[in-house]
Amino acid sequence: MMTKSEIAKKLTALKKELKSSSLIAVTKYSPLEEVVLAYEAHQYDFGENRVADLALKAGDFLNAERSKVRWHLIGHLQSNKVQTLFKIPNLYAIHSVDSIHLLEELIKHESALVVPEVKFFFQVNTSHEVEKSGFESKEELNRAVELIMKRPSSKLKFYGLMTMGTIRTAEFEVSAQRCFKDLASIAHQLEVSFGLKNKLKLSMGMSQDYKIALSCGSDFIRIGSALFK
Ligand SMILES: *Cc1c(COP(=O)(O)O)cnc(C)c1O
């Protein structure tokens, strides 16, 4: 496990690169103690892949009154986990709304949310790799946005788009840049078509490609392995 000063050093170095974007520290491989050290080093945004892990860590944070924490779900969400997710204290954002079906489940259960509102991102499969989730077609994405725009008073706040760069390729930099530019352009098209007043946020970039993502205008980078070894 890393020490507090090692974590603090890495956080400081990473945050220097960020300018106005935000860092989500991805804790899926980290024990709770390591997450606490990062929190004590003033990192408050944390991402987890699985609802069960998120619920456990969030419960511990609540008991210890670490109330500045903001939890982000970044992994695929199964419909049958939505109600558990909505009971999580300090849930801040869901980055992985990857289908209309899932959006409908979120809407159906929104009154179960224990937080006043939760931000969410539509995940877009810009790399078209079969093992990745996400919206595949612009038509389907448009229908999802229409659905949420019809419900302006919802506790679910449409906040932006998320994607992952291609992993398995010799030239991952080139592919990642293409994925990130695609996401920025899809977001722009949605802003224009739906007359969105607030600019859509972009959640893109992980340890291996976050510099590329930042150069493409990312608002949230999600970093695990480059932060916690
Ligand atoms: C694991 C994960 C990350 C962080 O990946 P690293 O390569 O460890 O930085 C970011 N986003 C998602 C969706 C992930 O599953």
Side-chain angles (χ1 to χ4, degrees), residues 160-202:
L161 302 180
M162 180 272 230
T163 202
M164 290 164 94
T166 313
I167 316 164
R168 287 167 302 122
T169 159
E171 292 186 81
F172 81 87
E173 283 101 342
V174 179
S175 320
Q177 188 172 56
R178 191 190 49 72
C179 293
F180 299 153
K181 284 192 166 159
D182 278 1
L183 194 73
S185 119
I186 295 168
H188 183 68
Q189 285 167 31
L190 289 176
E191 286 161 9
V192 173
S193 335
F194 289 91
L196 299 177
K197 280 179 243 106
N198 299 323
K199 202 181 161 298
L200 291 173
K201 305 281 186 208
L202 303 174

Side-chain angles (χ1 to χ4, degrees), residues 24 26 28-29 48-49 74-76 95-96 123 162-164 205-208 221-228:
I24 299 171
V26 175
K28 65 186 177 204
Y29 303 122
E48 276 286 336
N49 269 52
I74 60 171
H76 176 65
H95 291 245
S96 43
Q123 180 174 354
M162 180 272 230
T163 202
M164 290 164 94
M206 318 193 337
S207 292
Q208 75 163 7
I221 59 167
R222 311 177 307 267
I223 305 285
S225 45
L227 182 61
F228 306 106

Side-chain angles (χ1 to χ4, degrees), residues 17-58:
E17 297 184 67
L18 288 183
K19 301 187 186 108
S20 63
S21 352
S22 303
L23 168 68
I24 299 171
V26 175
T27 55
K28 65 186 177 204
Y29 303 122
S30 304
L32 179 70
E33 301 78 55
E34 214 168 52
V35 188
V36 170
L37 292 182
Y39 180 89
E40 287 171 353
H42 310 291
Q43 172 64 28
Y44 302 128
D45 287 280
F46 293 104
E48 276 286 336
N49 269 52
R50 298 180 57 240
V51 172
D53 297 336
L54 184 52
L56 272 178
K57 284 178 175 139

Side-chain angles (χ1 to χ4, degrees), residues 62-172:
L62 183 72
N63 291 338
E65 294 183 32
R66 297 191 178 97
S67 56
K68 287 184 189 160
V69 70
R70 292 184 290 259
W71 294 107
H72 299 251
L73 182 77
I74 60 171
H76 176 65
L77 172 59
Q78 287 169 288
S79 303
N80 62 358
K81 301 281 164 60
V82 169
Q83 296 188 67
T84 312
L85 178 69
F86 280 2
K87 292 198 194 94
I88 292 180
N90 294 80
L91 176 67
Y92 184 75
I94 306 167
H95 291 245
S96 43
V97 180
D98 53 11
S99 69
I100 292 185
H101 172 70
L102 178 58
L103 176 64
E104 286 168 343
E105 286 299 309
L106 297 177
I107 291 171
K108 189 163 115 195
H109 295 292
E110 71 174 311
S111 61
L113 267 171
V114 297
V115 288
E117 66 163 63
V118 70
K119 304 178 195 311
F120 75 88
F121 297 76
F122 286 123
Q123 180 174 354
V124 182
N125 187 357
T126 53
S127 68
H128 306 292
E129 288 169 301
V130 287
E131 65 270 49
K132 296 238 181 86
S133 337
F135 284 85
E136 297 281 349
S137 78
K138 282 184 190 149
E139 292 70 31
E140 203 197 353
L141 182 59
N142 268 303
R143 275 194 286 130
V145 177
E146 260 165 38
L147 184 61
I148 197 67
M149 299 293 287
K150 274 196 224 134
R151 318 180 74 259
S153 63
S154 174
K155 291 168 95 177
L156 303 162
K157 300 294 170 203
F158 174 39
Y159 203 50
L161 302 180
M162 180 272 230
T163 202
M164 290 164 94
T166 313
I167 316 164
R168 287 167 302 122
T169 159
E171 292 186 81
F172 81 87

